Amino acid sequence: MSQTSQSSESSPSSPANQRVVIAGAGPTGLLLAAELRLAGVETVILERLPEASGESRGLGLHVRSLEILHQRGLVDRFRTPETEAWPAMHFGLFWLQRPEGPKADYTLAVPQWKTEHALEGRARELGTEIRRGHEVTGLSQDDERVVVEVEGPDGPYRLEAAYLVGADGGHSRVRKLAGIGFPGTGSTFYGVLGDVIVKEGDTVAYSAELYPGGWLANVPIEGGRKLRLMTTEFDQERPGDDVPVTNDELREAIKRVTGTAPDFEETTWLSRFGNSTRLADEYRSGRVLLAGDAAHVHYPIGGQGLNTGLQDAFNLGWKLAATVQGRAPEGLLDTYHAERRPVGQRVCVNTQAQVSLLYPLEKITPLREIFAELVKFKEVNDYLLHLVTGVGTRYEVPLPEGAGEPHALLGRLVPDAELVTADGPTSLASHLHDGRGLLIRFAEGLDAEGWTDRVDVLTAEPHPDLDAAALLIRPDGHIAAATDDPAVLRHALTTWFGAPADAAATDADATADGAA
C-alpha cells in the first residue's frame, strides 16, 4: 500500500491512539504483529525492502520458539514432513546431548525465509497491514502519541500511532532516532558465508572443525539441496563494507582456515559477519520499544539471535496490546524491559564465552580439554543446552508478603500436558491459542471471578508435572501463580491482568460521579 499524504495519517474508524507501528518485517516484527492482531490491535508494519529477500541468516528454530508457536497452534506450519531435526547443538564446538523423548526432534532446521513466509501468512490472516518499500526516517513523541516520519514509494508521509516498535535489525533506525544507547564491543574476527547448490546425487553432512586460525562449518540447508559454507577467522582483516563479497573471497577464506580450497562453481547467496556484541540500554523509551536484533546483537552462533527475537515478540505482544486497549495494570509494559533485557544480556555473555573457547587455539587447548570433561556431566550438558535454546529462561514473579517460597514452576514457560477434564482429555497448549490468560484449577476453592473477561478458566484432574492446586498462566505461556492460596492467586491476577471487572466498574462510576 502506497501513501502520498504529507500530513499525519489516521483513520476515523481506528484512531491513531489505538494503532501500533512496527518497523521491520523480519521474524520478530511479524510475530509481534500477529500477537497484536490476535488481541484486536490495529497494526502496521513498515519494511524498507520492497520485497522479501529470500535470504536465511538464521537456519533453525529452537525448542523454546517451537513451544511458543505450539501454544498458538502454529507449529505445524514449521514442523512439516520434510523438515528435519537440527543435526546438533553445541557450545563453543562442544557437542551437547539433546534430551530423549518428544523434544529430541523439537529443534528444527528451518531456514529464515521459510520462517518469515509462515509468520507473514499468519500476520496477514489476522489483518496486519504490511507496507513494503516504506522506511522510517524520523519520529517524535509526546505523552499521547508517537508520530513516525516515513519515506514511501510515492514520497514522504507521517503516520501517527500509540506506540512504535523497532524490530529493524542491528542497525536499527528506530533505536538511533529514539536516542537509545547501544553500548558494547566491535567485531574481533572476520566471517564469510556462502550457500552452494549441491550437485545432483551428492550428499552432505553437518560438520564444524576448529583450526589454529579459525573454524569452518558445513551446514546442509533446505533439505540438503544446499550447503552453507561458513568461515570464522581471527587474524584476518575484514574487507570494507563497500567491497562486494565474491566466490573467490569465500574460497580464499576456506583455504586460509583449512589449507584446502573447496570445489564449487557458484553460490546463491554470499555475506560477511562478525561478532560485534551490543545491548540496548533500554528496551523502552516512552512510546518507542525495541525487539530482536534492534535490542541485542552478538556472534551468530547456534541461531540464538532469531530465536531470542521471537521470544521478545511473544513477551511484548500481549503486554502492549493490553496497554493500547486500556486494560493493562500499572507498570505492565515496563515488565517487558525488566524481563527481556536480562535474557538479551545472557545471550551476549554466552556467545562471548563461546568465542573465548575458540581462539587462540594454542593457548586455550588446555581449557578446552577440561571443558570437554565437564560437558560429559549431564547437569553441565543440560545447563548449556538450556542456556543456548532459552529453555532455562525463568522470569521473576512478584509475590505478596507472607506468600512463602516461590513454587518451582513459577515464572517458567508452562509445559504442554494432556489434561483430563469433565469433557474428556485436552491439550493444555490448545487453551492458549487465542492469546488470553488461563487459570487451570486442579482443586476447588480457587477461581478468577472478576477476571473472566480476560482469563479463561479450566478445571482439570491433578497432573504429576503440574504439582499445584491452581496455575495462572499469562498469555505468553509463563506461569504467574502456582498456588493453593486464594490471596496469592488474586494478587497474581491483579498484577498481570489488572483490577477485577467489578472493581474497575466501581472506579469508573466513582470517576464519573466526581466529574458530575
Side-chain angles (χ1 to χ4, degrees), residues 253-497:
I254 294 174
K255 185 175 181 179
R256 283 193 300 269
V257 171
T258 69
T260 303
D263 178 23
F264 63 85
E265 295 180 1
E266 61 176 328
T267 53
T268 60
W269 182 51
L270 290 159
S271 182
R272 298 187 188 102
F273 64 95
N275 68 326
S276 177
T277 303
R278 299 185 181 278
L279 181 68
D281 284 332
E282 301 289 338
Y283 278 29
R284 178 189 178 192
S285 176
R287 293 183 172 271
V288 178
L289 299 109
L290 303 177
D293 289 353
H296 42 77
V297 296
H298 45 80
Y299 183 27
I301 191 167
Q304 294 186 71
L306 185 153
N307 287 275
T308 304
L310 290 178
Q311 291 150 41
D312 288 346
F314 209 61
N315 183 285
L316 175 59
W318 68 280
K319 297 174 181 177
L320 185 53
T323 303
V324 169
Q325 294 171 339
R327 53 185 173 82
E330 183 178 356
L332 179 66
L333 192 55
D334 289 328
T335 67
Y336 169 62
H337 167 91
E339 292 182 342
R340 291 306 299 173
R341 190 176 186 277
V343 174
Q345 185 176 38
R346 195 66 175 156
V347 172
C348 289
V349 169
N350 94 59
T351 53
Q352 288 177 314
Q354 292 188 66
V355 172
S356 298
L357 287 168
L358 298 174
Y359 185 83
L361 190 59
E362 71 275 9
K363 292 185 178 180
I364 53 88
T365 293
L367 176 62
R368 290 186 63 83
E369 291 175 355
I370 295 296
F371 210 86
E373 295 177 9
L374 291 175
V375 296
K376 293 178 181 178
F377 291 96
K378 185 179 186 302
E379 294 82 359
V380 175
N381 178 91
D382 291 353
Y383 173 81
L384 295 174
L385 190 64
H386 293 172
L387 183 65
V388 299
T389 61
V391 170
T393 298
R394 180 180 185 177
Y395 300 138
E396 291 294 326
V397 176
L399 291 171
E401 187 175 350
E405 291 298 314
H407 193 284
L409 290 172
L410 195 64
R412 297 195 180 279
L413 192 76
V414 67
D416 192 17
E418 189 77 5
L419 302 177
V420 178
T421 71
D423 296 326
T426 183
S427 163
L428 189 159
S430 67
H431 294 272
L432 296 170
H433 286 184
D434 60 3
R436 287 164 52 88
L438 176 66
L439 173 65
I440 305 177
R441 302 189 309 168
F442 298 108
E444 297 296 328
L446 296 163
D447 211 327
E449 185 177 355
W451 285 274
T452 53
D453 58 329
R454 289 150 282 173
V455 178
D456 295 328
V457 179
L458 178 68
T459 301
E461 295 182 7
H463 191 283
D465 294 335
L466 305 171
D467 183 21
L471 292 179
L472 178 63
I473 304 169
R474 307 187 323 187
D476 63 356
H478 281 265
I479 298 172
T483 185
D484 59 1
D485 186 339
V488 172
L489 176 59
R490 187 177 182 87
H491 178 271
L493 285 162
T494 304
T495 298
W496 298 106
F497 299 98

Side-chain angles (χ1 to χ4, degrees), residues 126 142 459 501:
L126 294 172
D142 55 32
T459 301

Side-chain angles (χ1 to χ4, degrees), residues 190-193 215-217 229-233 250 253-254 257 273:
Y190 158 47
V192 60
L193 63 83
W215 66 289
L216 170 70
L229 302 173
M230 186 167 63
T231 65
T232 293
E233 295 181 88
L250 176 60
I254 294 174
V257 171
F273 64 95

Side-chain angles (χ1 to χ4, degrees), residues 147 253 273 291 511:
V147 179
F273 64 95
T511 300

